Amino acid sequence: MSTESSPNWPVVEPPPFLPAPRRRWPFALFVAVVVALAGAGAAYAWLNPGLFVPSAGREDGDADSRANDRAIMTDLLAAQQKTAEDLATIDRTIAGQQEQLKAIVGQLANLSSKIDALKSPAPQATAAPSPLTAPAIPMPSASVPAVASAPAARVAPRPKKPPPRVTTTTGPISVGGAPLNTTPNGTVR
């Protein structure tokens, strides 16, 4: 080996105990994300200074809010009292309507009993002369011939005829009061 420079330099291999070079891009990405989050937090804190610094006028704001709360409470209590009065009025109205309904039902029952009494045949009552009144003496008149006194025959009432049957129409039937669309020949459209 000569001391002269040779065009071929010997190739030096790295020693086997050194680790392979690492990639640095995951670390750089991590640093970029941390810096971005810190910037976003700083921007949020900059736009909302009341989060970290107590305001000097906070006591005034609390006094205003307490006065506002008192006004709201008085309004709510007034509304509650008005609602209670309205409910009491409605209860009185309902009670009055129920009393009217009971009176109408009583009147209806009275009328139906009178109608039933009129529909049923009246019982034939024979009038017995009372001991306090004098018996009537028939006076024969010239225009009425005298009839031999015969025992009073009871007259049976004529049997009532059943009411005539009501013929029903065979046309369309409306349920609930809805109008029916009918044509002149009676068919439903």
Side-chain angles (χ1 to χ4, degrees):
M1 293 231 202
S2 68
T3 57
E4 298 179 54
S5 67
S6 77
N8 292 334
W9 289 91
V11 178
V12 178
E13 291 185 25
F17 57 87
L18 287 176
R22 289 201 219 164
R23 297 181 183 174
R24 302 211 181 235
W25 69 268
F27 180 70
L29 180 66
F30 176 72
V31 170
V33 168
V34 169
V35 169
L37 288 176
Y44 183 74
W46 181 268
L47 295 175
N48 297 312
L51 293 176
F52 300 109
V53 178
S55 66
R58 185 169 217 152
E59 293 82 22
D60 296 336
D62 287 342
D64 290 340
S65 68
R66 279 188 233 124
N68 192 18
D69 289 345
R70 287 185 187 131
I72 290 173
M73 286 301 292
T74 56
D75 290 343
L76 287 176
L77 290 174
Q80 183 181 12
Q81 184 178 6
K82 185 179 182 309
T83 304
E85 291 171 357
D86 290 344
L87 284 174
T89 303
I90 290 171
D91 286 341
R92 286 192 298 269
T93 304
I94 289 173
Q97 288 177 352
Q98 286 177 345
E99 289 176 14
Q100 289 176 354
L101 182 64
K102 287 179 184 177
I104 290 172
V105 167
Q107 290 174 355
L108 184 64
N110 189 16
L111 287 174
S112 66
S113 66
K114 286 181 180 179
I115 290 173
D116 290 342
L118 290 174
K119 284 184 178 178
S120 64
Q124 298 285 338
T126 56
S130 67
L132 300 177
T133 59
I137 301 174
M139 299 292 271
S141 70
S143 65
V144 178
V147 179
S149 66
R154 186 170 188 169
V155 179
R158 286 190 279 167
K160 290 186 178 183
K161 293 181 183 176
R165 279 186 69 131
V166 177
T167 58
T168 59
T169 60
T170 58
I173 298 174
S174 171
V175 177
L180 296 172
N181 297 330
T182 59
T183 58
N185 63 0
T187 59
V188 177
R189 281 191 262 165

